[in-house]
Amino acid sequence: SWEVGSRYLSRPELLDAICDVFGELREAGELAPALNGMVDDCDVELFMVLPRLVVLGFLSEPTAKRAELVRSLLPHRFAPGGNAAQMKVDPELKALYGRYKETVRQLGPNPGPAKAALIRLAVCGASSAETDDVEDALSPEAAKAARELLLAVEQWSLELQRHCAENWNQCSAVLVHCLTEQEPKQMPQFQV
């Protein structure tokens, strides 16, 4: 717990990144209510979905604050130094970003609904009624591109979890704590 606090709370750039990812996860819960059920039940599938959403969030805005979290978990994929706007990434991560941009383009002219579709697919997995509903709304080419992107995202989510499992476990514990404690605590009324 001291170690987690030292890593995520005493370093402003990582605290900002955690807050940014938390915002993305809350948005994901609105787009895919199944995520909220996973959080409420602390469902084991949550721990497969969480890294997918972290990777997708990074791909959607690779210069946002959340990039620092990915950089801290996969330091070997980034050049040392610089800030999020100046990050240099390895060719494989750059290729994944290119694939993400191409998939979003194939999903439609507006990136918002495309991002929402990818989030719903990432949360619901390959075989669910909601996945079928999302894919039915897409052209066959777009559905295929989305499936292929999510397969690539799954590989990166595994790397995120396994590169340094202890760091990922700490990170996911912080994120799950934030998600389960998102209701503000009621303060008693002060009366004189």
Side-chain angles (χ1 to χ4, degrees):
S1 35
W2 284 103
E3 187 178 328
V4 173
S6 171
R7 180 173 177 85
Y8 293 104
L9 304 178
S10 68
R11 295 174 52 195
E13 66 280 358
L14 275 180
L15 179 58
D16 289 346
I18 288 284
C19 292
D20 192 28
V21 169
F22 172 67
E24 280 287 302
L25 294 174
R26 287 190 69 183
E27 181 182 320
E30 292 171 12
L31 295 169
L35 177 63
N36 296 329
M38 290 177 201
V39 171
D40 292 342
D41 299 340
C42 222
D43 191 326
V44 70
E45 193 163 349
L46 172 65
F47 299 97
M48 293 172 24
V49 170
L50 207 54
R52 288 181 207 146
L53 294 176
V54 169
V55 172
L56 276 176
F58 169 73
L59 293 173
S60 72
E61 291 186 61
T63 59
K65 293 176 181 178
R66 67 191 73 135
E68 189 59 38
L69 180 64
V70 175
R71 182 170 144 167
S72 76
L73 294 167
L74 298 175
H76 63 290
R77 296 292 189 170
F78 296 86
N83 60 26
Q86 301 169 329
M87 277 191 207
K88 295 198 183 332
V89 298
D90 80 353
E92 291 177 57
L93 192 51
K94 192 175 267 193
L96 181 67
Y97 175 68
R99 181 183 241 177
Y100 174 84
K101 295 301 278 183
E102 178 59 24
T103 302
V104 167
R105 188 193 63 71
Q106 288 182 15
L107 292 175
N110 185 347
K115 179 182 170 186
L118 289 171
I119 287 171
R120 285 195 300 273
L121 290 170
V123 169
C124 295
S127 58
S128 77
E130 189 170 342
T131 299
D132 293 340
D133 291 344
V134 173
E135 287 188 355
D136 289 346
L138 304 173
S139 71
E141 297 82 20
K144 181 178 186 239
R147 280 192 304 273
E148 289 174 354
L149 172 67
L150 289 172
L151 185 60
V153 165
E154 188 67 25
Q155 293 169 343
W156 282 88
S157 76
L158 290 171
E159 182 173 343
L160 196 68
Q161 296 171 71
R162 293 178 180 165
H163 175 69
C164 184
E166 183 177 348
N167 289 348
W168 171 253
N169 290 342
Q170 291 173 350
C171 174
S172 64
V174 169
L175 290 171
V176 168
H177 177 76
C178 291
L179 289 168
T180 57
E181 299 294 325
Q182 62 183 319
E183 293 299 317
K185 305 236 186 309
Q186 294 292 329
M187 297 296 291
Q189 291 281 349
F190 179 74
Q191 297 179 359
V192 179

